[in-house]
Amino acid sequence: MRVYISGPITGQEETARERFLKAEDEVMRIFGHDVEYINPFEVGEMAAVNAKTMTHSDYMGIAIGLMFACDTIYMMPGWKESRGCQLEREYAEIHKMKIVEGG
């Protein structure tokens, strides 16, 4: 099983790293320590190092590409207020991924 972690980033960059690290712990608690997960915040940070002009659309393209490799999505609290998370959720529904909402 590979889980994609979906959570709000835009406008919350200062607290995003900590929230995504907590989400990693929550994913391991729910699915076990052997679960594979993709944390898009970390991937986005790596991409930003090489391209200072990355747009929200650029990041979303990367995110959707990462979701191809997953069969489950974990929705962090606050996802409903995030345009990007809403798109990720829609992708998950269309592709019949297992959807787990965090609390």
Side-chain angles (χ1 to χ4, degrees):
M1 170 185 292
R2 190 173 297 135
V3 178
Y4 179 87
I5 301 172
S6 176
I9 297 173
T10 303
Q12 301 179 34
E13 292 86 356
E14 292 181 17
T15 61
R17 174 184 297 285
E18 183 179 326
R19 288 183 295 104
F20 272 83
L21 289 174
K22 287 180 182 178
E24 288 178 4
D25 291 340
E26 181 70 5
V27 164
M28 287 190 292
R29 186 189 68 73
I30 292 169
F31 299 105
H33 288 279
D34 293 334
V35 68
E36 294 181 46
Y37 57 83
I38 293 178
N39 179 338
F41 180 79
E42 291 177 354
V43 175
E45 277 191 323
M46 289 186 292
V49 167
N50 294 312
K52 301 292 183 196
T53 59
M54 296 272 298
T55 66
H56 185 265
S57 293
D58 294 331
Y59 284 114
M60 289 310 303
I62 293 169
I64 297 301
L66 293 169
M67 290 181 72
F68 277 108
C70 299
D71 53 22
T72 302
I73 186 170
Y74 172 82
M75 307 298 300
M76 292 170 53
W79 74 266
K80 291 179 183 177
E81 289 80 39
S82 166
R83 184 180 67 173
C85 293
Q86 291 171 13
L87 291 170
E88 292 166 346
R89 172 75 177 234
E90 185 173 344
Y91 173 92
E93 289 171 354
I94 290 169
H95 294 278
K96 299 186 181 2
M97 295 173 68
K98 180 178 181 178
I99 300 171
V100 176
E101 292 195 30

